[in-house]
Amino acid sequence: MEYSIKGTLRSYDLYCFYRYHIKRSVLYGIFQVINLFIVIILLFSLNKLFDNPESYLKSIKINYVFYVFIFCVISYIQPLINYKINFQSNKYIQDEQVITITEEEINIKSKYQNIVIQKEYINKIGYDKKRIYLYTSNYAAEIIPINY
């Protein structure tokens, strides 16, 4: 059986891939654990707040704001910047693609490139509500939007 899909990726599709990949990566899990650890430290330090409220309140506010800002920059803002740069610089992604799916391979054709992915070379398949991600390595995937 053979399925053929034709369409163009949007920058939002690439953004969704970055979000999907980051949320499932080990690094994201480490950042979540670090954030939880920081919150626990801050909760324990609130006990000191009741002992000496004036001086300690200033330091806890500065520390908390700093750690939350660093966490947000690393895990949320940085991928937003990268996906736009990658999308604008990659002409292959912006071309119209014809994706042919068979039982043995996936063929992705565009104006300038033809990619054939054998099923043995697909490391992992991920998906969300509107996209399928075919990982060919740990960090690279072909994005197939369901709304093509």
Side-chain angles (χ1 to χ4, degrees):
M1 189 175 282
E2 182 175 300
Y3 297 100
S4 189
I5 304 167
K6 183 178 182 179
T8 305
L9 285 178
R10 300 172 295 151
S11 64
Y12 186 70
D13 294 325
L14 187 61
Y15 167 74
C16 290
F17 167 69
Y18 278 115
R19 298 300 305 157
Y20 177 87
H21 181 71
I22 287 171
K23 286 184 179 179
R24 284 154 183 82
S25 70
V26 174
L27 190 59
Y28 183 77
I30 291 171
F31 285 131
Q32 292 294 342
V33 169
I34 290 171
N35 193 34
L36 179 65
F37 182 69
I38 291 169
V39 169
I40 289 171
I41 289 173
L42 291 174
L43 289 176
F44 279 122
S45 62
L46 284 177
N47 290 335
K48 294 181 182 181
L49 173 66
F50 296 110
D51 296 339
N52 189 1
E54 291 92 23
S55 66
Y56 197 71
L57 187 61
K58 290 179 184 176
S59 68
I60 196 169
K61 283 183 180 178
I62 292 171
N63 287 338
Y64 183 71
V65 168
F66 176 73
Y67 288 128
V68 168
F69 177 75
I70 292 298
F71 178 75
C72 288
V73 166
I74 291 173
S75 64
Y76 295 107
I77 296 172
Q78 194 261 343
L80 293 175
I81 295 168
N82 278 349
Y83 97 90
K84 283 190 176 187
I85 292 170
N86 287 341
F87 184 78
Q88 292 170 352
S89 67
N90 192 339
K91 300 300 179 194
Y92 166 70
I93 290 177
Q94 296 176 20
D95 283 343
E96 184 176 65
Q97 298 177 352
V98 177
I99 302 171
T100 306
I101 302 171
T102 65
E103 292 180 13
E104 295 299 319
E105 66 184 21
I106 297 172
N107 191 352
I108 303 171
K109 293 180 186 177
S110 71
K111 185 177 179 181
Y112 300 106
Q113 194 170 13
N114 184 16
I115 298 174
V116 178
I117 304 171
Q118 300 291 325
K119 74 177 185 180
E120 297 88 30
Y121 294 105
I122 297 175
N123 289 347
K124 180 172 72 168
I125 298 175
Y127 61 91
D128 58 19
K129 292 180 181 177
K130 296 186 178 183
R131 284 155 217 87
I132 299 170
Y133 309 111
L134 302 173
Y135 281 86
T136 54
S137 72
N138 288 337
Y139 302 106
E142 293 296 327
I143 305 168
I144 302 175
I146 296 173
N147 59 356
Y148 265 4

